[in-house]
Amino acid sequence: MTTPPRRDFPLRRCGVPREDHDHDLRKGRPAPDTVNASAPDLWGWPEKSVAAGDVLTPGDDARDHVVHFVRLDRDGLMTRRLLIFTTDRRAPIRRTIFELLDQLHVRGSGWPLVADAAETALSDPDPSVRRTAATLLVHTAGPGRALAALDTLTDPAVRIALVNAIPWHRHPRHQATVERLRSDTVPAIRLLANCAAPGVDDTVIRADLDAAVADLTALGKASAGELWAHALTGSDRDEACYTRVRRLTGSAETPEVRLEGVRMAAIAIRFWRAAPVRLTPALTALLRENPSPVRSAALRTLTASMTASRLAAEDLAALLDDPELGAPAAVALGGIGDHRAMPHLVQQMLAGGTQPGLLAAFRTLARAGADPADPVAAARHLLATTPDSDAPELPMRVLAAFGPAAAPALPELLAKLTGAVNDTPDLTWHVLGRIGPAAVAAVPHLRDHGALFALVQMTSDRAPVDQHLAGLPEALRRGRLAAVLLTWLADHGGLTVRQHRQLRSLFGTPGPASVDVAAALWRHEGPAAAADLLAVLSEHLADDLLGPKVLEVFAAMGPHARPILGRLDEFITRRHRAGFNVGGPDAELHADETLLAAMLAARERIAG
């Protein structure tokens, strides 16, 4: 059972006594039933949150409590209260509530109470409400009820939403309906049906594209171009997709159609590994045009891929001073280690930039040997101008990325360390440790706080490490600090017999612990550990987080890791992306490209 968030709002405002609230949170259930539908004054917070749209914001207090109570009893008081808003006279309230209910439904599970409300709203005066309600009906009642509605309704907006929401590939018995819809009077429905039908008919889809774009865009789901691209990826027709992208992005097409061509390219690049090479020329051509949504979308598609960014590096560099596209172009260049991006990244940091990937770009440039002077100076300025003991995370992480080269920032770091009040300055310790011996002036402060690993990095004194590990059992089953310390010792004088047993114990623990100490095991035992390392680490080879660490160990093993070459070649020669589930299509693309690059580098070292 899910425990609700420990927050004062909104339960305190609902009249639930704080002590009762705490007691029931510990029990894993809501407070006593002091909140009920007969006490409208206690229900003010949901209405305010719905009206403001806060219930759609992840992490919002009101949303967290709504989710909690609905999960406890999906047909209970909270759900019934929410359903009252489905007939509110204000269209924005109705739009918000149906979107919220769609987010709250459990995939693959019916929800008749909500389905009834969704079906009633198919005739709502607001077209956006009707579209959302149609989607919700499919999700909560299944395709059967939606198909019945489809046969009786004439509103194109609702019919399009119903056809779009039905997962046709999961219901092959409805293929006769798909065939019928391929000759529907509404272009968007014909396009959806043709995308869902076996054997994609590109000519027919193209004929409906212009007329269908606006209706499908209004749904706020996959666009017409994306649906077409998904149909092509589903049948693995890469050449057909590349050809369509090049044609649709051509200057003879309307801006709306060209935008769909770029969206098709984005889907292709996320699915086929060869797509960046095949499609980058068409996308870079769009970067040289006048500002437009098509140009902006082309940049987003290119910069989502490191391969495409490398191929488009000169075009990205030409955009560094562009007021709209300069920031993402700089981050993309920095992400591939192009030093030309550094001045622009520093400007972004000084301006409080929040561009996704900004920190990763700094880290990549640091590894690529970029001049640290400007980023370190900028980080020092930001630390010096931050009041009290607050330490802005971005400049601190940038200093850590440059390691010993961040030594000029020692005065600002010491000021943050000595000014810390009621707050453990872990990030400051981390930066000082990364600076190493040049930060020795901070040693007294770190000793007061017991920042063991940072002290070791600055002093290279193994005595405190030996003492710490001596206080731990030989049979270690967890402990990131122990793994870090054992790895450091393997590089600085080696391990004692007891520490070696601790290392072996951690290596024998399934999961990340074995990967954390694998490099130390190789350095301590050498070829004698090769068989064990190959057996244990191979299972993590295709993991997006652990894989790169595993490959570093295999690369260090060199020829001793040759038995793994077959596995590497199997991954390297795949036509399709690995399909990681790591928080979004762009993140999945980045994970595949990162792991592929690591495998290629490791293979080169292993094969010699």
Side-chain angles (χ1 to χ4, degrees):
M1 183 177 292
T2 305
T3 302
R6 293 185 62 88
R7 298 186 175 100
D8 289 344
F9 174 82
L11 289 179
R12 177 177 289 179
R13 286 218 240 149
C14 289
V16 180
R18 183 72 229 177
E19 56 274 14
D20 289 340
H21 176 205
D22 286 343
H23 170 77
D24 285 89
L25 291 182
R26 291 191 295 270
K27 292 291 186 181
R29 60 177 184 267
D33 191 13
T34 56
V35 179
N36 57 72
S38 64
D41 57 311
L42 301 181
W43 284 97
W45 64 271
E47 183 169 1
K48 291 178 181 177
S49 300
V50 171
D54 296 337
V55 289
L56 300 179
T57 304
D60 179 79
D61 285 341
R63 177 185 173 85
D64 287 346
H65 282 84
V66 167
V67 171
H68 169 69
F69 286 121
V70 170
R71 286 178 178 172
L72 281 179
D73 183 358
R74 66 176 189 167
D75 289 340
L77 288 173
M78 179 58 72
T79 298
R80 293 176 185 277
R81 180 65 185 180
L82 294 176
L83 288 173
I84 293 174
F85 298 117
T86 63
T87 57
D88 193 280
R89 61 180 177 78
R90 296 162 290 181
I93 294 287
R94 301 196 304 277
R95 286 195 291 267
T96 296
I97 206 65
F98 278 111
E99 186 174 345
L100 174 64
L101 290 169
D102 194 43
Q103 294 173 6
L104 292 174
H105 92 279
V106 177
R107 182 176 176 178
S109 175
W111 199 358
L113 187 66
V114 171
D116 291 342
E119 188 166 26
T120 300
L122 295 181
S123 58
D124 191 279
D126 186 89
S128 179
V129 173
R130 296 198 300 272
R131 285 189 289 263
T132 307
T135 301
L136 181 60
L137 178 64
V138 174
H139 291 164
T140 56
R145 197 164 169 182
L147 288 173
L150 187 64
D151 289 336
T152 60
L153 294 171
T154 58
D155 180 4
V158 174
R159 297 183 70 243
I160 292 168
L162 289 171
V163 174
N164 184 68
I166 295 174
W168 299 102
H169 63 285
R170 296 185 201 151
H171 302 280
R173 65 184 184 277
H174 295 311
Q175 281 305 312
T177 303
V178 173
E179 287 300 318
R180 176 170 58 81
L181 293 173
R182 293 177 73 176
S183 58
D184 196 272
T185 58
V186 179
I189 291 179
R190 293 199 300 268
L191 187 146
L192 288 167
N194 280 298
C195 287
V200 183
D201 188 336
D202 294 329
T203 303
V204 174
I205 292 176
R206 178 63 189 92
D208 287 324
L209 184 66
D210 297 76
V213 166
D215 286 335
L216 292 173
T217 300
L219 289 176
K221 309 293 182 182
S223 72
E226 290 167 337
L227 289 164
W228 193 355
H230 284 306
L232 291 170
T233 59
S235 56
D236 204 15
R237 295 177 56 203
D238 52 345
E239 291 299 332
C241 191
Y242 303 154
T243 298
R244 284 296 171 182
V245 167
R246 287 191 287 268
R247 290 177 181 173
L248 295 179
T249 55
S251 58
E253 299 289 354
T254 66
E256 293 77 15
V257 168
R258 300 182 83 198
L259 185 58
E260 295 308 314
V262 175
R263 289 168 174 165
M264 286 187 75
I267 299 297
I269 288 172
R270 293 166 186 162
F271 189 78
W272 290 294
R273 284 182 173 167
V277 175
R278 302 295 300 277
L279 297 179
T280 292
L283 296 171
T284 52
L286 301 177
L287 298 183
R288 302 171 198 134
E289 297 181 355
N290 292 328
S292 71
V294 175
R295 178 174 177 255
S296 300
L299 180 82
R300 288 194 300 271
T301 301
L302 286 166
T303 56
S305 164
M306 291 185 291
T307 304
S309 295
R310 291 189 184 96
L311 294 170
E314 295 306 316
D315 291 279
L316 295 177
L319 294 173
L320 286 173
D321 293 319
D322 187 283
E324 178 191 0
L325 305 183
V331 169
L333 282 175
I336 59 173
D338 192 314
H339 293 206
R340 290 175 291 183
M342 182 62 85
H344 302 272
L345 297 179
V346 169
Q347 291 175 12
Q348 288 187 50
M349 180 168 65
L350 288 170
T354 57
Q355 187 72 30
L358 181 57
L359 174 58
F362 276 113
R363 286 172 169 166
T364 301
L365 285 169
R367 290 192 297 268
D371 187 346
D374 287 345
V376 170
R380 292 185 66 186
H381 171 75
L382 290 172
L383 293 182
T385 55
T386 303
D388 304 323
S389 62
D390 293 336
E393 184 168 355
L394 178 59
M396 293 290 278
R397 297 290 183 189
V398 168
L399 291 175
F402 284 96
L410 187 58
E412 290 78 18
L413 293 169
L414 287 174
K416 297 300 177 188
L417 193 64
T418 57
V421 178
N422 297 324
D423 183 34
T424 304
D426 295 324
L427 191 53
T428 306
W429 300 347
H430 173 65
V431 177
L432 292 168
R434 292 278 297 151
I435 291 174
V440 69
V443 166
H445 301 285
L446 269 64
R447 282 187 177 139
D448 291 340
H449 290 286
L452 178 58
F453 186 56
L455 281 169
V456 170
Q457 290 174 291
M458 284 185 273
T459 65
S460 297
D461 181 7
R462 64 174 289 156
V465 180
D466 290 331
Q467 183 179 1
H468 177 80
L469 292 172
L472 300 177
E474 284 189 12
L476 292 176
R477 290 292 179 263
R478 67 178 70 182
R480 292 298 302 274
L481 178 59
V484 168
L485 295 176
L486 289 167
T487 300
W488 184 86
L489 287 176
D491 289 330
H492 296 80
L495 306 174
T496 66
V497 173
R498 186 177 187 277
Q499 289 164 354
H500 180 215
R501 287 197 287 267
Q502 289 176 316
L503 179 70
R504 270 289 179 175
S505 180
L506 280 175
F507 183 71
T509 303
S514 61
V515 178
D516 289 341
V517 297
L521 186 64
W522 171 253
R523 285 193 284 273
H524 187 77
E525 295 187 18
D532 288 342
L533 288 166
L534 287 168
V536 172
L537 299 185
S538 295
E539 64 184 76
H540 303 296
L541 194 58
D543 185 284
D544 64 292
L545 292 177
L546 301 179
K549 298 179 183 178
V550 167
L551 289 164
E552 288 179 7
V553 178
F554 286 153
M557 292 168 61
H560 297 282
R562 280 181 179 163
I564 206 67
L565 286 177
R567 292 278 303 278
L568 298 185
D569 289 341
E570 180 183 351
F571 187 92
I572 289 169
T573 57
R574 292 181 58 162
R575 292 179 61 244
H576 306 133
R577 301 292 180 188
F580 297 109
N581 185 16
V582 291
D586 288 346
E588 293 168 8
L589 168 60
H590 186 267
D592 179 78
E593 289 187 322
T594 300
L595 191 56
L596 177 60
M599 287 200 179
L600 288 167
R603 195 195 190 289
E604 183 177 355
R605 290 183 60 185
I606 294 168

